[in-house]
Amino acid sequence: DIVSVIDADQGAVIREVKVSKEPCDIAVAPSGDTIAVSHSDRVGDVWFIDRQTLEPLSKVLLAKEQVGKTNCFFLAFGKDGQNLYAVNQFSGNFYTVDSSAGKVIKTARIGEDTPQKPQRLSGMVLSPDGKSIYIPDSNNGKVLVLDAERVVIRDTIHTGGDPFAVNISPDGKTLYVADAADSSLILYSLGSKAVLK
């Protein structure tokens, strides 16, 4: 139930910050002054922490997940750091949170979650221009491309396998997808919409 602060040069934990039960994901605002932490204890809360003092600034309740499943929310700050985006791993509940006011300003349901085709969202990354959000669906071998402003799916990237985490190059041209099915890394061109390697 902690967030560890690690000195990269020393390769050592220099401080531990007490948070709520089972911290799941973490995001740092572009300004570097605020940290957001989600928890997977089925409470559905996100904490905002001051990066300098490491003290909680506010706590936002999102939603409780059904019993028996994790309540992990994956996080990403918007380009200006004002908004925090959070998506639930199983339900597809998507929240836009005003980080300064500490409240939810928009909610939506994304993806397809049916008994025959249950989804498992496994990460999130914002494009450098702040317009697109990429969210892998591990159970269905694809990455959802979300319009950040309208919060609607505008494209789907079919990777196959078990896409579990994503990142994007600083120039916004290449999407990196970790495939947990065979421990591989997929390099995907967002321009040509093709696998590079």
Side-chain angles (χ1 to χ4, degrees):
D1 301 339
I2 59 169
V3 169
S4 297
V5 183
I6 301 171
D7 185 301
D9 293 330
Q10 297 178 26
V13 175
I14 58 174
R15 186 166 174 186
E16 293 181 341
V17 183
K18 180 70 176 174
V19 291
S20 190
K21 295 180 180 178
E22 302 172 18
C24 173
D25 197 23
I26 191 167
V28 181
S31 63
D33 58 1
T34 305
I35 300 167
V37 181
S38 65
H39 304 87
S40 58
D41 63 349
R42 290 184 289 279
V43 173
D45 61 344
V46 172
W47 286 24
F48 290 96
I49 298 171
D50 184 290
R51 185 168 168 262
Q52 296 301 319
T53 65
L54 298 178
E55 294 295 328
L57 297 169
S58 62
K59 301 171 187 178
V60 180
L61 181 65
L62 299 180
K64 293 185 178 182
E65 185 57 90
Q66 57 187 319
V67 176
K69 285 188 176 181
T70 181
N71 200 35
C72 182
F73 285 87
F74 293 102
L75 308 174
F77 274 98
K79 188 176 180 181
D80 61 2
Q82 180 66 30
N83 290 337
L84 176 76
Y85 304 113
V87 66
N88 189 277
Q89 184 174 22
F90 286 102
S91 69
N93 289 331
F94 187 95
Y95 298 84
T96 303
V97 179
D98 184 323
S99 61
S100 60
K103 65 178 182 179
V104 175
I105 56 175
K106 186 184 293 185
T107 61
R109 176 69 65 87
I110 64 168
E112 301 172 357
D113 190 30
T114 65
Q116 297 78 24
K117 201 174 183 181
Q119 67 183 3
R120 180 166 56 100
L121 306 179
S122 302
M124 175 163 50
V125 68
L126 184 75
S127 62
D129 63 9
K131 295 181 179 179
S132 301
I133 300 171
Y134 298 88
I135 303 172
D137 179 353
S138 296
N139 281 355
N140 295 296
K142 60 186 179 182
V143 176
L144 307 176
V145 184
L146 198 69
D147 183 298
E149 184 177 351
R150 297 186 298 131
V151 192
V152 293
I153 296 172
R154 58 177 175 77
D155 202 0
T156 302
I157 300 169
H158 296 277
T159 61
D162 184 359
F164 190 77
V166 287
N167 213 329
I168 195 167
S169 59
D171 61 10
K173 294 181 179 179
T174 306
L175 185 70
Y176 300 91
V177 184
D179 186 352
D182 61 2
S183 299
S184 65
L185 180 66
I186 300 167
L187 278 66
Y188 182 85
S189 170
L190 294 171
S192 63
K193 296 189 176 183
V195 173
L196 297 172
K197 191 175 181 179

